């Protein structure tokens, strides 16, 4: 249950300490970009990203005074973003399930297009959307966001070995997808 | 190019391309400010007040004010061009408070530490609440904010979903463009949204449910990611009741009360024609 998960995450916040409360504006400035990217990477539809980011920072704003350890702040914010993404993509999934496959196919980069950043990005997003959810979450946090495996284990509330295991599988999936892409491009160039 | 090189290149591209644009940042920032300024923080004010006051220490007009401190602080820290947002927040609080029984407006007054604004209009019947994630506990509630509140999909989400559904054939790029177009509402759009809600309220007063519902639907189109979606949702329910579209009203009420069980407008909804299965 996501609600319970988020409650648990929030309950992990250290005891309040006004002396070391980080300023919200600073937190927003430092983390906005990464929260935005994480929500998109984790499957929040583009049309809902604005709302999802707002939900994350509303929650952060309410609970920020409970933090005194800045070192934990990033992980905590990612936790909120992760659970927010779960909520948003769940509601979106109901609607888009039938549309998704066709859309993903159309988003795959065509032969010769991979050099363009936008197409490469679309390829990654299409890959993420096809990936099983548990692998995707780990891939996004470890590879795209470059968080440490222990941090990811804390965010996802799973064992460290589970993170490593899922990451290994996700990386293998990604390489397979890239190999297929490279081969298709070679075939296209040959013709 | 080897697969290793391809992997690095694609990951770097995704890391870069998935970042928000300057417009994304500004739009989200403005919407966030509006929401916080207009929100009846209630119990959350105690906890959030620390950061709010801290942020606003340099320019905030009141030591005990949350919203001014927050708004001024964030505004000052980020761009310094949205001071008018506080005024907008006050207007929202005053008008919406006046409209929906003063609860929200009074709470906003308290949090802002300002003189109570005159009610914008006689209290009529309607509705409306603060959205789930926005819905910090009501003023009277425990001082501990419902921090665990999961950011449930808000009515804005519902509307955005509906809008997105209408664009069902659109790809990601088009969806993003549509989102940008729809969601890139300048701060002044809040005033426009509020004015339309007032029109809907007047229509309800005049027992013109058809007009009220039409305005609500127009709001859905113009402000799919609007700030006052909660009020809008409640207005929709009451409009449906006036039109004797009871089944639709009940369905909408179920969704509404599920998302905003502690809304200050929940009671109004429960007393409407949708009361039968609203709970």
């Amino acid at each position: 249950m996501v609600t319970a998960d988020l409650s648990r995450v929030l309950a992990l916040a250290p005891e309040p300490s006004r002396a070391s409360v980080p300023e919200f504006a600073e937190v927003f400035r430092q983390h906005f970009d990464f929260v935005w990217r994480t929500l998109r990477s984790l499957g929040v539809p583009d049309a809902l990203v604005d709302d999802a980011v707002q939900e994350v920072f509303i929650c952060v704003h309410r609970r920020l005074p409970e933090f005194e350890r800045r070192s934990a702040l990033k992980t905590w914010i990612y936790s909120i973003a992760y659970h927010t993404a779960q909520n948003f993509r769940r509601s979106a999934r109901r609607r888009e399930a039938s549309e998704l496959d066709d859309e993903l196919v159309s988003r795959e980069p065509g032969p010769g297009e991979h050099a363009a950043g936008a197409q490469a990005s679309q390829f990654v997003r299409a890959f993420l959307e096809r990936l099983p959810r548990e692998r995707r979450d780990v891939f996004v946090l470890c590879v795209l966001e470059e968080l440490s495996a222990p941090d990811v284990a804390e965010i996802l509330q799973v064992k460290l070995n589970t993170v490593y295991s899922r990451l290994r599988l996700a990386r293998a999936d990604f390489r397979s997808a890239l190999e297929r892409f490279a081969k298709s491009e070679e075939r296209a160039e040959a013709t | 190019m080897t697969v290793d090189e391809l992997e690095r290149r694609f990951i770097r591209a995704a890391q870069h391309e998935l970042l928000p644009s300057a417009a994304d940042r500004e739009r989200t920032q403005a919407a966030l400010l509006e929401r916080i300024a207009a929100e009846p923080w209630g119990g959350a004010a105690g906890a959030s007040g620390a950061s709010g006051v801290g942020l606003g220490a340099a320019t905030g007009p009141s030591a005990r004010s949350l919203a001014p401190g927050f708004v001024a602080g964030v505004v000052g820290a980020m761009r310094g061009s949205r001071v008018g947002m506080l005024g907008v927040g006050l207007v929202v609080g005053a008008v919406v408070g006046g409209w929906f029984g003063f609860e929200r407006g009074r709470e906003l007054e308290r949090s802002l530490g300002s003189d109570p604004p005159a009610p914008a209009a006689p209290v009529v019947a309607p509705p409306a609440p603060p959205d789930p994630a926005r819905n910090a506990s009501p003023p009277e509630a425990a001082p501990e904010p419902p921090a665990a509140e999961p950011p449930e999909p808000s009515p804005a989400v519902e509307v955005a979903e509906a809008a997105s559904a209408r664009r069902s054939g659109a790809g990601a790029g088009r969806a993003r463009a549509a989102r940008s177009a729809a969601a890139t509402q300048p701060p002044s759009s809040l005033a426009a949204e509020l004015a339309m809600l007032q029109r809907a309220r007047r229509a309800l007063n005049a027992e013109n449910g058809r007009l009220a519902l039409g305005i609500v639907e127009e709001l859905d189109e113009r402000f799919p990611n609007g700030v006052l979606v909660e009020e809008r949702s409640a207005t929709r329910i009451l409009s449906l009741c006036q039109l004797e579209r009871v089944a639709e009203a009940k369905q909408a009420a179920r969704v509404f009360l599920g998302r905003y069980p502690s809304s200050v407008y929940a009671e109004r909804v429960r007393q409407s024609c949708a009361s039968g299965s609203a709970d």
Side-chain angles (χ1 to χ4, degrees), chain A residues 10 46 50 55 62-63 65 175, chain B residues 4 27 47 133 144 147 179:
Chain A
L10 294 171
D46 284 345
D50 277 16
E55 299 302 341
R62 287 176 184 165
R63 304 301 294 177
R175 288 186 68 86
Chain B
D4 284 342
R27 183 181 64 252
E144 183 64 18
R179 171 180 59 74

Side-chain angles (χ1 to χ4, degrees), chain A residues 1-13 83 156-157, chain B residues 148:
Chain A
M1 183 68 186
V2 172
T3 302
D5 290 345
L6 188 56
S7 299
R8 192 168 60 237
V9 167
L10 294 171
L12 295 175
H83 291 287
L156 301 180
Q157 298 288 298

Side-chain angles (χ1 to χ4, degrees), chain A residues 31-40 49 52-53 56-57 77-78 81 145:
Chain A
H31 296 278
F32 172 76
D33 284 2
F34 305 108
V35 166
W36 179 282
R37 184 171 66 190
T38 300
L39 291 170
R40 293 185 73 195
V49 171
V53 171
V56 170
F57 281 104
I77 291 173
Y78 271 107
E145 296 305 321

Side-chain angles (χ1 to χ4, degrees), chain B residues 150-245:
Chain B
E152 291 293 343
S154 65
V157 174
E158 183 180 70
V159 173
E161 283 182 350
S164 180
R166 286 192 291 274
R167 301 189 300 262
S168 57
R174 278 173 290 166
R176 180 173 170 78
R179 171 180 59 74
S180 297
T184 306
Q185 295 167 6
S188 60
S189 69
L190 177 59
E193 186 183 355
L194 185 60
M196 288 181 67
L197 267 172
Q198 286 181 289
R199 282 176 51 214
R201 184 262 301 171
R202 284 195 292 271
L204 273 175
N205 278 349
E207 298 189 349
N208 189 342
R210 181 179 299 278
L211 176 59
L213 188 60
I215 294 170
V216 167
E217 289 171 349
E218 189 182 345
L219 277 163
D220 291 344
E221 292 290 334
R222 288 187 56 187
F223 304 100
N225 299 310
V227 174
L228 303 171
V229 285
E230 207 168 59
E231 287 82 354
R232 184 192 311 176
S233 299
T235 303
R236 186 195 322 277
I237 294 165
L238 297 174
S239 301
L240 289 168
C241 282
Q242 282 197 0
L243 294 171
E244 298 183 347
R245 290 161 62 175

Side-chain angles (χ1 to χ4, degrees), chain B:
Chain B
M1 184 181 299
T2 68
V3 173
D4 284 342
E5 290 169 340
L6 207 55
E7 180 176 2
R8 283 193 294 274
R9 173 176 292 192
F10 275 35
I11 292 297
R12 278 199 304 272
Q15 286 174 326
H16 176 74
E17 293 290 331
L18 289 170
L19 287 173
S21 66
D24 290 331
R25 172 185 285 269
E26 187 166 344
R27 183 181 64 252
T28 305
Q29 179 182 312
L32 195 58
L33 290 173
E34 288 174 0
R35 284 183 59 174
I36 291 177
E39 183 170 0
W41 284 100
S48 301
S51 62
V53 171
L55 284 166
T59 53
S62 165
R64 71 187 182 89
S65 63
L66 165 64
F70 172 78
V71 171
V74 175
V75 165
M78 307 214 173
R79 197 164 295 271
S81 62
R82 296 190 184 283
V83 179
M85 205 63 65
L86 172 58
V88 175
L90 279 165
V91 171
V92 172
V95 175
V96 175
W99 181 3
F100 296 119
F102 297 105
E103 296 99 321
R104 191 170 179 173
R106 281 178 179 161
E107 195 49 37
L108 183 68
E109 287 165 23
R110 279 196 290 274
S111 70
L112 294 179
S114 59
D115 292 335
V123 179
V124 188
D131 111 10
R134 279 195 263 166
N135 182 18
S137 48
E140 303 76 15
E144 183 64 18
E149 247 173 299
E152 291 293 343
S154 65
V157 174
E158 183 180 70
V159 173
E161 283 182 350
S164 180
R166 286 192 291 274
R167 301 189 300 262
S168 57
R174 278 173 290 166
R176 180 173 170 78
R179 171 180 59 74
S180 297
T184 306
Q185 295 167 6
S188 60
S189 69
L190 177 59
E193 186 183 355
L194 185 60
M196 288 181 67
L197 267 172
Q198 286 181 289
R199 282 176 51 214
R201 184 262 301 171
R202 284 195 292 271
L204 273 175
N205 278 349
E207 298 189 349
N208 189 342
R210 181 179 299 278
L211 176 59
L213 188 60
I215 294 170
V216 167
E217 289 171 349
E218 189 182 345
L219 277 163
D220 291 344
E221 292 290 334
R222 288 187 56 187
F223 304 100
N225 299 310
V227 174
L228 303 171
V229 285
E230 207 168 59
E231 287 82 354
R232 184 192 311 176
S233 299
T235 303
R236 186 195 322 277
I237 294 165
L238 297 174
S239 301
L240 289 168
C241 282
Q242 282 197 0
L243 294 171
E244 298 183 347
R245 290 161 62 175
V246 178
E248 292 169 74
K250 287 185 174 182
Q251 171 63 25
R254 271 193 296 274
V255 173
F256 180 88
L257 293 172
R259 286 180 175 158
Y260 313 119
S262 60
S263 166
V264 295
Y265 309 113
E267 191 57 30
R268 170 67 65 185
V269 169
R270 290 193 181 96
Q271 290 173 358
S272 72
C273 78
S275 61
S277 60
D279 291 324

